[in-house]
Amino acid sequence: FVAAFSQAFLGILLALWTGAMLPWIVASFPPSVRLTSVSFAYNLSTGIFGGFSPAIATALVDRYDSTAPGLFVTVLAVLAMLGLYIAPKSETERSKDTGDIQFADVNQLDHSEQSEHEMT
């Protein structure tokens, strides 16, 4: 019972994280480079930090004590927060500031064109 509850709890946390992260990543890149940028950056960072984290945690436990990996995770969390702070604005926010790229707002579409298409 405890294992099933723990797995469900971790699944909910993963869903919350993914639900917030993916739209932010998509909004951070223009459509022309979105697929390459997102996949390269995400997979590279996941491979480096996810791949080397067990080795780093083992080395920290051997060199210091069993609480050292917690410090490692804390440092990575601080770096992630710093990265979010200095991350560029999303394309939609950038277009409002500079007027470069404009995305259509569904609420502001001309409804006369819609009604013409509905009549035919």
Side-chain angles (χ1 to χ4, degrees):
F1 178 73
V2 173
F5 178 74
S6 299
Q7 190 72 21
F9 180 71
L10 290 174
I12 291 169
L13 291 178
L14 181 63
L16 290 172
W17 172 72
T18 305
M21 180 199 62
L22 293 178
W24 177 78
I25 286 177
V26 168
S28 297
F29 295 98
S32 60
V33 296
R34 184 174 295 155
L35 182 62
T36 303
S37 302
V38 170
S39 67
F40 182 75
Y42 180 77
N43 289 313
L44 183 67
S45 62
T46 302
I48 290 172
F49 288 104
F52 289 109
S53 289
I56 292 171
T58 302
L60 288 172
V61 168
D62 288 344
R63 179 148 174 113
Y64 300 105
D65 64 354
S66 63
T67 60
L71 181 62
F72 175 64
V73 171
T74 303
V75 168
L76 290 180
V78 169
L79 287 175
M81 295 301 286
L82 179 66
L84 284 173
Y85 179 72
I86 63 173
K89 293 180 178 181
S90 69
E91 282 298 316
T92 53
E93 291 172 348
R94 221 178 288 146
S95 66
K96 291 176 186 173
D97 294 341
T98 63
D100 292 342
I101 300 171
Q102 297 294 322
F103 293 99
D105 185 4
V106 178
N107 296 325
Q108 295 178 353
L109 289 176
D110 185 13
H111 293 289
S112 62
E113 292 177 13
Q114 268 186 343
S115 60
E116 289 175 14
H117 291 295
E118 290 173 0
M119 291 178 165
T120 57

CSV table of all heavy atoms in Angstrom, one decimal, residues 1 4 62 84 98 117:
chain,number,residue,atom,x,y,z
A,1,PHE,N,0.8,-1.2,0.0
A,1,PHE,CA,0.0,0.0,0.0
A,1,PHE,C,0.9,1.3,0.0
A,1,PHE,O,0.6,2.2,-0.7
A,1,PHE,CB,-0.9,0.0,1.2
A,1,PHE,CG,-1.8,1.2,1.3
A,1,PHE,CD1,-2.8,1.4,0.4
A,1,PHE,CD2,-1.5,2.1,2.3
A,1,PHE,CE1,-3.6,2.5,0.5
A,1,PHE,CE2,-2.3,3.3,2.4
A,1,PHE,CZ,-3.4,3.5,1.5
A,4,ALA,N,2.4,1.9,-3.5
A,4,ALA,CA,1.5,2.4,-4.5
A,4,ALA,C,1.1,3.8,-4.2
A,4,ALA,O,1.0,4.6,-5.1
A,4,ALA,CB,0.2,1.5,-4.4
A,62,ASP,N,31.0,9.3,-0.3
A,62,ASP,CA,32.3,8.7,0.0
A,62,ASP,C,33.2,9.8,0.6
A,62,ASP,O,34.0,9.5,1.6
A,62,ASP,CB,33.0,8.1,-1.2
A,62,ASP,CG,32.3,6.8,-1.6
A,62,ASP,OD1,31.5,6.2,-0.8
A,62,ASP,OD2,32.5,6.3,-2.7
A,84,LEU,N,15.9,30.5,-14.4
A,84,LEU,CA,14.6,31.1,-14.6
A,84,LEU,C,14.5,32.6,-14.5
A,84,LEU,O,13.8,33.2,-15.2
A,84,LEU,CB,13.6,30.4,-13.6
A,84,LEU,CG,13.2,29.0,-13.9
A,84,LEU,CD1,12.3,28.5,-12.8
A,84,LEU,CD2,12.4,28.9,-15.2
A,98,THR,N,8.4,44.7,-28.3
A,98,THR,CA,9.1,45.2,-29.4
A,98,THR,C,8.3,45.2,-30.7
A,98,THR,O,8.7,45.9,-31.7
A,98,THR,CB,10.3,44.2,-29.7
A,98,THR,OG1,9.9,42.9,-30.0
A,98,THR,CG2,11.3,44.2,-28.5
A,117,HIS,N,-17.7,32.3,-43.7
A,117,HIS,CA,-17.4,30.9,-43.9
A,117,HIS,C,-18.5,30.0,-43.5
A,117,HIS,O,-18.8,29.0,-44.0
A,117,HIS,CB,-16.1,30.6,-43.3
A,117,HIS,CG,-14.9,31.2,-43.9
A,117,HIS,ND1,-14.5,30.9,-45.1
A,117,HIS,CD2,-14.1,32.1,-43.4
A,117,HIS,CE1,-13.4,31.6,-45.4
A,117,HIS,NE2,-13.1,32.4,-44.4
